Amino acid sequence: MEKKKQFKAESKRLLDLMINSIYTNKDIFLRELISNGSDAIDKLYYLSLTDKNININKDDLYIRVDIDKDDREIIITDTGIGMSMEELEDNLGTIAKSDSFNYKNIDNKDIDIIGQFGVGFYSAFMVSKKIKVESKKYGSDKAYVWKSEGASGYTIKECKKKEYGTTITLKLKDDDDNFNYSTYLDSYKIRELIKKYSDYIRYPIKMEVSKSRLKDGSKDEYESYEELDVVNSMIPLWKKNKKDISEDEYNSFYMDRFYDYDKPLKVIHSSVEGQCNYHSLLYIPSHLPMDYYTKEFEKGIALYSNGVLIMDKCADLVPDYFGFIKGLVDTEDVSLNISREILQQNNAVKLIAKSIEGKIKKELENMLKNDRDMYESFFKTFGMQIKFGVYADYGTNKDKLKDLLMFYSSSEKKLVTLDEYVSRMKDGQDSIYYACGENNDKVDNMPQVELVKDKGYEILYLTEYVDEFCLQALTTYNAKKFVNVSNDNVDLNTEEEKKELEELNNNSKDMFSVMKDILKDSNVNDIRFTNRLKKHPVCLTTEGDISVEMQKVLNALPNENKVNAKMILEINKDHPIAKKLEKLYNDDKDELEKYTKILYSEARLIEGLAIDNPTEISNLICDIMAR
Ligand code: ADP
């Protein structure tokens, strides 16, 4: 007898979970094995279409499910490409999917997740105590059998098998208090499962019509009397009529096909005829894919040419800003033999991509209109992508995307659209005000925000690093310009107030020039009194296009050339500190220096910026405290 081999460590872990599964939905094992069979037939069929030497008759492509009540066995046969000895070893000794799902850190309590996630071949161990896989690779004259009783390992040896393809024999577990495994020996049950989970499989799934006449026959007679029928409708889900598809079918297809443990947020199913012809089944996931922000993430949707998969992730079919979309497109307009290089220039692909983009956008707009909660949930998950889309490619797509944007509003205390903001604007208001910071609470406490809010203006709170770049790319919305409340061009004053402030600043010109000299090594461009602060003594504002937040973001990038925002130190003209500064300017220049440094540091801290010389500043403060 040949040596027993051990499963790879991570496979063993999953295997244990499968064998000892307390998971109730054991039914899925059949779906998994049938879909493997269908994939294997796809591979062979595809080969035959691209290689003239391979002659495959369409009638030879099928999956067959048999039940042997006496031996408590379910036998699943496919006429697919089969596996060589090495492939049996590689494919069934390890888990293929470990890259898309981390099985290693799974607890027993997560078993539900595994059950919903496509677990593949190993799920057969949920119901079997022994599994036998006999396989003959197409074109080879040798066949091999893989056998395993679970965790103890597996064996592989040569065997006899007439036809190419794979036959899997499951020896069912014995019934116990928790589960009646014999239920799978009932052909009605198996038919029901095929109908439920595998109806759309493109190849016929055949079963015996009736066993009654075989009762008293020997095994040989049974073979010759057999009468098979096809259990599945063979119509791919995406080619079916929408009204014939249940939500459950849409969802389980999604979870199975795209390896998600959660239902999708939204299904977009369409059939298009005209300039381009296609069926598409697209999904908006309900959460970020695990690898979304890693370089491993590949956007794209599957491309089928009249039912045959040509590419699993066709990136050209979806724009980057909708890169989170999962799904597939099936079209007769693209030929099977199309190469990846040519896809990009292919006119049909371009037309389909454009049409799909329109569908996704429309769906999102409808969601925003009709199901606000769902849209907010979408935006919280994928809004970043839309914002990127607005400023990527020099803003080429900004007009398409601007109405999908949402930001937190100071007055509504929730996410609002730009359109909603503009519709609420006060008479004579010509700007859309925004403020930037780490989170809504911090922004809400910014000195610059206070007065703008007090005067009754709504402010958008920008808390993600892309936000301000996104608004800058738009520059305006409905002819209203975007204005950062921390920018010196915020103008909320009456002519009279302006004049008064100007006079005040003029009178203190000399003092400010001394103070500027004290701060000459910083990037403070100007110092002045302001009336934009209510209670707060100081703040930093900026002049020009680069705000403090943008400076932070840009300088965090791996870039040699650091940018500097042009900062202005503004001092509340009504705060007692204003009078104090004037007094020090006249009486005590040394003291003025200390105060100036401390005020500037305070303003930096409020902006979330580090101070240049913390020890010096803390000593200065203590000096003053100790008096
Ligand atoms: P997945 O199907 O998601 O890749 P599985 O664990 O179900 O994961 O299968 C692992 C691999 O074993 C498959 O990718 C395929 O290469 C091979 N395989 C499984 N079943 C069959 C089959 N019936 N015929 C040919 N190859 C198969």
Side-chain angles (χ1 to χ4, degrees):
M1 225 197 96
E2 97 264 41
K3 210 173 130 246
K4 204 167 243 185
K5 297 190 180 176
Q6 294 302 311
F7 288 99
K8 301 257 161 60
E10 75 273 27
S11 309
K12 201 154 180 289
R13 178 92 183 92
L14 179 66
L15 206 62
D16 285 340
L17 287 171
M18 283 299 142
I19 293 167
N20 305 312
S21 167
I22 41 147
Y23 182 65
T24 44
N25 195 8
K26 299 186 194 295
D27 291 353
I28 57 154
F29 81 93
L30 190 63
R31 170 191 80 186
E32 298 293 324
L33 296 184
I34 287 176
S35 106
N36 280 350
S38 165
D39 290 348
I41 299 175
D42 266 346
K43 284 180 196 156
L44 182 59
Y45 182 53
Y46 186 77
L47 217 60
S48 77
L49 291 171
T50 46
D51 183 344
K52 292 274 170 295
N53 297 321
I54 300 180
N55 228 331
I56 298 283
N57 190 338
K58 254 199 131 165
D59 295 340
D60 294 338
L61 304 173
Y62 62 88
I63 293 161
R64 181 179 163 158
V65 182
D66 288 292
I67 298 168
D68 184 333
K69 281 196 172 166
D70 297 339
D71 289 340
R72 290 180 65 80
E73 284 176 353
I74 300 177
I75 303 126
I76 298 143
T77 303
D78 68 66
T79 59
I81 193 150
M83 283 177 274
S84 65
M85 186 166 93
E86 291 73 31
E87 285 168 331
L88 277 171
E89 168 93 47
D90 289 349
N91 295 336
L92 307 186
T94 9
I95 292 167
K97 270 187 233 98
S98 52
D99 57 329
S100 50
F101 195 86
N102 190 353
Y103 294 102
K104 278 179 241 169
N105 308 321
I106 281 178
D107 277 332
N108 279 333
K109 66 173 170 14
D110 296 327
I111 204 94
D112 266 10
I113 296 185
I114 306 178
Q116 291 174 34
F117 189 78
V119 280
F121 173 76
Y122 283 10
S123 62
F125 280 107
M126 290 198 291
V127 300
S128 327
K129 56 179 176 187
K130 266 192 223 172
I131 299 180
K132 181 167 82 181
V133 181
E134 294 156 289
S135 199
K136 186 173 182 180
K137 180 106 181 175
Y138 181 86
S140 162
D141 50 5
K142 283 196 172 134
Y144 296 91
V145 56
W146 179 99
K147 279 189 204 169
S148 172
E149 294 183 21
S152 67
Y154 60 90
T155 60
I156 300 177
K157 62 180 175 198
E158 215 179 313
C159 71
K160 284 214 161 55
K161 188 176 188 309
K162 238 169 53 203
E163 309 287 349
Y164 56 84
T166 303
T167 298
I168 299 175
T169 306
L170 309 179
K171 180 95 172 171
L172 290 180
K173 288 186 187 177
D174 299 326
D175 296 346
D176 58 29
D177 292 346
N178 297 321
F179 200 76
N180 182 20
Y181 295 95
S182 304
T183 175
Y184 297 126
L185 296 172
D186 175 1
S187 95
Y188 287 104
K189 171 76 179 178
I190 296 292
R191 279 170 185 269
E192 185 195 304
L193 292 183
I194 293 173
K195 269 286 190 208
K196 183 169 172 195
Y197 291 116
S198 310
D199 192 58
Y200 56 82
I201 293 286
R202 285 183 309 118
Y203 306 102
I205 302 169
K206 299 181 182 177
M207 279 185 79
E208 273 173 53
V209 175
S210 150
K211 289 203 195 71
S212 55
R213 63 161 102 168
L214 307 170
K215 252 186 198 153
D216 40 26
S218 70
K219 268 222 159 143
D220 292 343
E221 273 173 290
Y222 152 92
E223 301 260 293
S224 54
Y225 281 150
E226 80 177 3
E227 190 183 324
L228 297 171
D229 72 347
V230 175
V231 184
N232 56 327
S233 77
M234 288 194 277
I235 304 171
L237 192 61
W238 55 92
K239 284 196 181 167
K240 281 193 187 170
N241 217 319
K242 272 190 214 182
K243 66 177 193 326
D244 297 330
I245 308 176
S246 67
E247 198 184 318
D248 217 34
E249 264 180 290
Y250 275 130
N251 292 348
S252 59
F253 178 82
Y254 167 79
M255 295 195 292
D256 188 34
R257 178 72 171 73
F258 301 106
Y259 305 133
D260 199 343
Y261 52 83
D262 246 346
K263 287 188 298 195
L265 186 71
K266 191 86 200 170
V267 186
I268 314 170
H269 182 187
S270 7
S271 293
V272 171
E273 272 175 49
Q275 247 201 337
C276 52
N277 304 284
Y278 68 88
H279 298 274
S280 66
L281 186 51
L282 308 176
Y283 293 93
I284 301 174
S286 56
H287 60 103
L288 279 178
M290 250 170 303
D291 58 353
Y292 199 56
Y293 287 112
T294 71
K295 61 180 187 314
E296 273 81 49
F297 180 80
E298 256 183 279
K299 68 156 184 161
I301 53 186
L303 178 61
Y304 287 76
S305 165
N306 205 10
V308 182
L309 179 69
I310 24 184
M311 200 179 189
D312 217 24
K313 286 210 167 148
C314 180
D316 300 315
L317 284 173
V318 272
D320 285 344
Y321 42 86
F322 292 152
F324 48 82
I325 292 282
K326 303 214 172 185
L328 56 87
V329 171
D330 192 354
T331 177
E332 293 170 16
D333 298 354
V334 173
S335 99
L336 252 184
N337 301 316
I338 190 162
S339 74
R340 276 163 199 252
E341 295 71 43
I342 280 180
L343 263 180
Q344 223 168 1
Q345 291 112 35
N346 183 280
N347 212 28
V349 173
K350 277 190 205 160
L351 285 173
I352 295 172
K354 201 157 167 242
S355 165
I356 283 180
E357 178 181 349
K359 299 242 178 268
I360 301 169
K361 187 176 166 232
K362 188 112 200 272
E363 190 66 39
L364 290 173
E365 283 165 354
N366 286 342
M367 197 194 288
L368 176 58
K369 213 162 38 187
N370 305 321
D371 192 340
R372 179 79 173 205
D373 286 348
M374 188 191 274
Y375 189 80
E376 280 186 28
S377 153
F378 157 77
F379 198 80
K380 281 175 190 155
T381 316
F382 295 112
M384 180 88 113
Q385 214 52 43
I386 308 287
K387 294 172 189 169
F388 273 129
V390 167
Y391 78 79
D393 300 324
Y394 307 102
T396 316
N397 301 299
K398 63 184 182 186
D399 287 331
K400 261 191 266 185
L401 299 174
K402 62 181 188 224
D403 285 314
L404 295 176
L405 292 171
M406 285 189 132
F407 298 97
Y408 183 86
S409 146
S410 61
S411 57
E412 303 301 303
K413 308 270 181 242
K414 59 170 189 159
L415 291 172
V416 300
T417 64
L418 296 175
D419 187 50
E420 287 160 353
Y421 181 104
V422 170
S423 71
R424 276 192 293 266
M425 277 169 71
K426 299 197 342 171
D427 280 348
Q429 182 181 350
D430 61 355
S431 307
I432 300 174
Y433 294 111
Y434 68 85
C436 310
E438 213 175 298
N439 57 43
N440 292 336
D441 283 344
K442 283 199 182 168
V443 178
D444 208 43
N445 286 323
M446 278 167 61
Q448 300 93 323
V449 164
E450 198 175 23
L451 195 76
V452 185
K453 244 181 7 186
D454 256 29
K455 293 206 169 176
Y457 295 104
E458 182 175 357
I459 306 175
L460 300 175
Y461 289 0
L462 274 47
T463 52
E464 279 181 315
Y465 73 95
V466 295
D467 289 350
E468 201 174 6
F469 294 92
C470 169
L471 293 191
Q472 288 227 336
L474 286 176
T475 57
T476 59
Y477 180 88
N478 276 8
K480 311 287 180 194
K481 61 180 192 299
F482 293 102
V483 171
N484 188 334
V485 296
S486 296
N487 193 291
D488 71 327
N489 67 4
V490 178
D491 181 10
L492 301 172
N493 290 328
T494 60
E495 287 308 311
E496 215 167 302
E497 286 167 334
K498 266 187 228 174
K499 224 170 125 205
E500 187 203 358
L501 191 61
E502 205 179 300
E503 253 167 47
L504 190 69
N505 276 318
N506 252 333
N507 293 340
S508 305
K509 221 170 48 211
D510 297 339
M511 172 182 81
F512 289 137
S513 105
V514 172
M515 288 171 74
K516 259 200 295 198
D517 204 45
I518 296 168
L519 298 177
K520 64 178 181 301
D521 293 331
S522 69
N523 50 350
V524 166
N525 253 43
D526 210 351
I527 304 178
R528 60 169 87 118
F529 285 130
T530 182
N531 59 9
R532 73 161 98 202
L533 298 173
K534 243 176 67 187
K535 301 191 291 273
H536 299 276
V538 280
C539 73
L540 277 180
T541 59
T542 52
E543 208 172 61
D545 288 339
I546 298 176
S547 71
V548 173
E549 281 310 303
M550 291 171 93
Q551 172 186 317
K552 282 188 217 164
V553 175
L554 292 171
N555 288 350
L557 298 174
N559 198 333
E560 298 253 307
N561 304 326
K562 299 296 175 200
V563 301
N564 278 320
K566 287 188 180 163
M567 299 198 196
I568 298 157
L569 180 63
E570 299 204 18
I571 297 160
N572 186 346
K573 72 173 180 57
D574 299 321
H575 195 281
I577 199 71
K579 291 264 152 356
K580 180 84 186 212
L581 290 174
E582 304 270 15
K583 189 165 179 299
L584 294 177
Y585 171 66
N586 293 323
D587 303 348
D588 190 345
K589 292 270 170 9
D590 284 348
E591 199 72 353
L592 180 67
E593 178 170 347
K594 290 183 190 169
Y595 275 61
T596 305
K597 286 181 173 173
I598 293 174
L599 283 174
Y600 173 57
S601 300
E602 283 179 9
R604 286 186 67 90
L605 286 176
I606 292 170
E607 286 298 324
L609 293 167
I611 41 185
D612 306 331
N613 39 2
T615 352
E616 184 194 358
I617 299 301
S618 80
N619 285 336
L620 288 178
I621 294 173
C622 276
D623 283 353
I624 296 174
M625 283 162 77
R627 275 182 203 152

